[in-house]
Amino acid sequence: MPSSTCHLPNGNSFSVTPVFGGVNFKSNDLNLHHSAFPPGWTVAIHTEKPVDEGRESHSDTKQDGQGKVRQSSFKQPTRQNDCIFISSISNPSSMDYKPPISPSRQIAMMLWATLWWYFHEPEPDLHLPATAASAATPVSGRPRGDWRVNIKREGIFQGRNMMQKMERMGLIANEDSSVGTESIESRAPASWERMFTSRRSFWQLDPRIFLFTLIPAVPSLSASSSSPMISPYGSRPASPNIDFFRTGGDGSSAPSWDQQHSQTHAQNAANGPYTSSSHLPTYYPPPPTQYIFANGVRHPLRPRPPHQGETFYSRYIPSVGQYLSFRVPVLGPAKPKSNIAPNCSSLTVPRINSPPPGPSDLDYLHKWMNDPRVNSSWGEAGPREKQEKFLVDGLSSRHSFPVFGCWDGKPFGYFEIYWVKEDRLGRNIGHVGNYDRGLHLLIGEQEFRGPHRVPLWLSSLVHYCWLADFRTEAVLLEPRVDNQKIIGYLTDAGFYKEGEVSLPHKQSAVMRINRDSWESPAL
């Protein structure tokens, strides 16, 4: 039975209900103002399997160049036999919202959300059918193929050049990379009939390319209507919004973390990486390469990392029923400033007007670093001033930046994401790419430890590295050689041991994962 709920990384969620020949997506947001999606749409989905000659039946359908296939209703994913297309859209009232400036971009957004739901379904058997060469090989040892879903040129995809536009956005592909002999004016070129999307390529698409919001038809609509993101009934978001924890303007104290835990989620999504006051996608491609020298190493000039307090990654994890997010920690409360409404962009963060009543990021770091378990690896135990200097150094680094991991907004660990080439690891191993990334790991909260959570946050960190720069081809870690537990976790997550390196303070195993061997984040 297909999943009945689709949780998107921007906090929106949709009910997915079976209908004749497919499924219907319906928004769970009670108030559609500022929603990134129309109220709903219907997706036709079925499974096609080839039919051997002489075994046809009345239900078989002829596919051009594909032979005969038998259609059946979709029950669970198959490796390459599922076919989908969007058959209809439920658009909001034109009295409330202007039509999208680019209808094809809105269609791409809905297809992306549909694929997000589809690739959260249980993985099918990826082993290829037996051939003469593999007939004697046990099933577990047979070759494996990619998980693909076919995108049919039917329904709203029949629009002129619609499939071509979806391909240019990277959503769909075709193995035929030739120019073709048909005229560009042809409304039904044969090469566009059977496009596909693979799981591997889908998870390397940045969601910010596709998520945007509709523009209110009346300017006062957005000001007078509460957003679903700040409603206690809205979808849970990315990470805590610092302003939510400030002392109220009437002098009353802000609610405690536990009392307002669920409301915090809804408030924060409005300041996540997917919102923009311009109602346009927030994705920007990485800048062109420029080279500089640092400590005798020639490396690309690095773009600025996210700002303090900025949430740069968010994803709902169905196996634990929580949102996982990563944000940059905040060093300390800023000086009071005038209460200016923030520009809701992924490139800006809300102004901090007064210190939060709960633990600060520095409090968390001080607590974690003084845990004997953590100190045995990091060696940063000591007074608060020592962790403050540690965080200042991290925020001031030009080749790395500090990260807080959060489950449903609550910090659970500290990480560092760095560029390997100018790091001491790169200087010691020598053979690294210009855009290879490295990770340092620390799990501080006991309640979020355990082998069932490691693949979730570890694969998400790797996922972010792929999304942040498409030129990144590898992610590396250098755990101490005697830390067999973390080496085992890394191996289970797809890393392999490339060798060892002697650093001044430890002997490290060089663990590596390559983009071309990575499938998807853990769900």
Side-chain angles (χ1 to χ4, degrees):
M1 187 70 177
S3 300
S4 59
T5 306
C6 175
H7 295 271
L8 299 183
N10 67 340
N12 284 112
S13 69
F14 289 83
S15 295
V16 183
T17 55
V19 296
F20 181 76
V23 293
N24 177 260
F25 285 73
K26 183 179 179 180
S27 175
N28 289 331
D29 294 318
L30 299 181
N31 188 332
L32 292 175
H33 299 316
H34 294 292
S35 174
F37 291 86
W41 64 94
T42 300
V43 175
I45 179 169
H46 64 267
T47 302
E48 296 181 352
K49 294 186 177 180
V51 177
D52 296 334
E53 290 295 331
R55 301 183 62 181
E56 302 90 342
S57 69
H58 66 279
S59 62
D60 296 336
T61 59
K62 182 73 174 181
Q63 299 290 322
D64 293 340
Q66 300 291 330
K68 292 185 176 181
V69 297
R70 177 177 292 113
Q71 291 188 7
S72 60
S73 59
F74 174 79
K75 293 183 174 58
Q76 60 185 17
T78 61
R79 185 176 63 84
Q80 292 189 359
N81 295 328
D82 297 329
C83 302
I84 67 173
F85 63 88
I86 299 175
S87 59
S88 64
I89 305 172
S90 301
N91 283 310
S93 170
S94 59
M95 297 291 292
D96 291 338
Y97 291 98
K98 299 176 182 179
I101 297 175
S102 174
S104 59
R105 184 167 288 279
Q106 186 186 42
I107 292 172
M109 178 176 63
M110 288 182 286
L111 176 57
W112 175 86
T114 301
L115 293 171
W116 181 274
W117 165 80
Y118 176 80
F119 286 119
H120 273 77
E121 292 296 290
E123 179 186 275
D125 181 8
L126 299 181
H127 292 101
L128 301 178
T131 63
S134 64
T137 304
V139 174
S140 59
R142 289 178 184 169
R144 291 161 56 95
D146 281 341
W147 180 7
R148 295 179 178 179
V149 59
N150 301 296
I151 313 299
K152 303 279 283 186
R153 194 173 184 273
E154 299 181 25
I156 64 174
F157 295 146
Q158 292 183 15
R160 185 176 180 85
N161 298 327
M162 184 57 65
M163 297 293 275
Q164 291 91 323
K165 292 176 181 178
M166 298 299 105
E167 184 186 40
R168 290 170 191 158
M169 294 182 193
L171 266 176
I172 62 177
N174 191 302
E175 291 185 352
D176 182 4
S177 58
S178 66
V179 174
T181 58
E182 294 176 296
S183 169
I184 190 64
E185 299 299 324
S186 173
R187 294 188 63 86
S191 61
W192 298 96
E193 291 298 325
R194 293 276 292 201
M195 306 295 290
F196 68 86
T197 301
S198 70
R199 176 178 63 173
R200 188 191 301 269
S201 66
F202 174 78
W203 281 110
Q204 296 185 44
L205 289 170
D206 195 316
R208 294 175 301 166
I209 298 174
F210 304 100
L211 293 176
F212 67 98
T213 54
L214 297 177
I215 302 175
V218 181
S220 62
L221 183 63
S222 60
S224 62
S225 302
S226 61
S227 166
M229 298 303 180
I230 57 175
S231 162
Y233 304 101
S235 302
R236 291 179 298 181
S239 134
N241 176 353
I242 298 168
D243 285 335
F244 180 74
F245 297 100
R246 308 300 178 213
T247 303
D250 59 354
S252 61
S253 298
S256 68
W257 183 290
D258 293 334
Q259 290 174 330
Q260 296 298 336
H261 190 45
S262 62
Q263 295 182 6
T264 305
H265 300 320
Q267 177 96 357
N268 297 326
N271 296 311
Y274 307 106
T275 55
S276 169
S277 59
S278 65
H279 299 276
L280 295 173
T282 58
Y283 172 79
Y284 294 89
T289 302
Q290 304 178 67
Y291 287 97
I292 61 172
F293 279 89
N295 298 321
V297 178
R298 182 177 183 264
H299 63 84
L301 178 65
R302 304 303 184 186
R304 284 184 180 273
H307 298 281
Q308 287 190 60
E310 182 177 352
T311 296
F312 57 87
Y313 182 93
S314 171
R315 187 167 64 89
Y316 180 79
I317 311 295
S319 61
V320 294
Q322 294 177 305
Y323 269 88
L324 170 67
S325 63
F326 298 121
R327 62 173 175 85
V328 179
V330 177
L331 179 60
K335 295 180 179 179
K337 297 181 180 180
S338 59
N339 188 15
I340 302 175
N343 175 16
C344 291
S345 165
S346 65
L347 300 180
T348 62
V349 293
R351 297 183 184 275
I352 301 174
N353 297 322
S354 57
S360 67
D361 290 347
L362 192 54
D363 292 334
Y364 277 110
L365 197 59
H366 174 68
K367 169 188 171 184
W368 296 339
M369 289 300 186
N370 282 280
D371 185 326
R373 173 183 58 84
V374 173
N375 186 54
S376 65
S377 297
W378 285 77
E380 292 292 337
R384 181 185 174 91
E385 290 74 22
K386 183 173 183 179
Q387 287 85 49
E388 183 174 14
K389 182 180 184 303
F390 176 84
L391 186 54
V392 168
D393 291 342
L395 293 168
S396 303
S397 174
R398 295 187 177 184
H399 81 280
S400 69
F401 68 94
V403 175
F404 265 27
C406 303
W407 285 109
D408 273 350
K410 185 174 183 179
F412 73 91
Y414 172 85
F415 310 97
E416 291 175 346
I417 301 176
Y418 64 91
W419 299 103
V420 177
K421 191 164 189 180
E422 55 265 43
D423 184 78
R424 64 183 176 187
L425 175 62
R427 294 194 294 270
N428 276 276
I429 62 178
H431 53 283
V432 295
N434 280 331
Y435 296 94
D436 289 354
R437 301 297 283 259
L439 302 173
H440 292 145
L441 316 173
L442 183 164
I443 304 302
E445 294 297 312
Q446 293 293 329
E447 65 178 298
F448 297 116
R449 295 184 63 201
H452 64 295
R453 288 188 184 264
V454 173
L456 304 177
W457 54 257
L458 178 58
S459 65
S460 295
L461 286 167
V462 174
H463 188 204
Y464 166 74
C465 292
W466 303 145
L467 298 180
D469 197 315
F470 57 80
R471 296 166 295 190
T472 297
E473 294 295 333
V475 176
L476 292 88
L477 283 91
E478 22 85 57
R480 209 166 64 194
V481 292
D482 60 345
N483 192 344
Q484 291 302 312
K485 177 181 286 188
I486 188 63
I487 291 175
Y489 287 146
L490 293 171
T491 302
D492 292 342
F495 286 78
Y496 67 93
K497 185 177 179 180
E498 191 175 53
E500 294 185 5
V501 61
S502 298
L503 299 176
H505 64 300
K506 65 178 180 178
Q507 182 74 9
S508 293
V510 180
M511 304 297 294
R512 180 187 185 101
I513 188 170
N514 295 320
R515 181 188 286 266
D516 61 4
S517 63
W518 185 84
E519 282 285 347
S520 65
L523 304 177

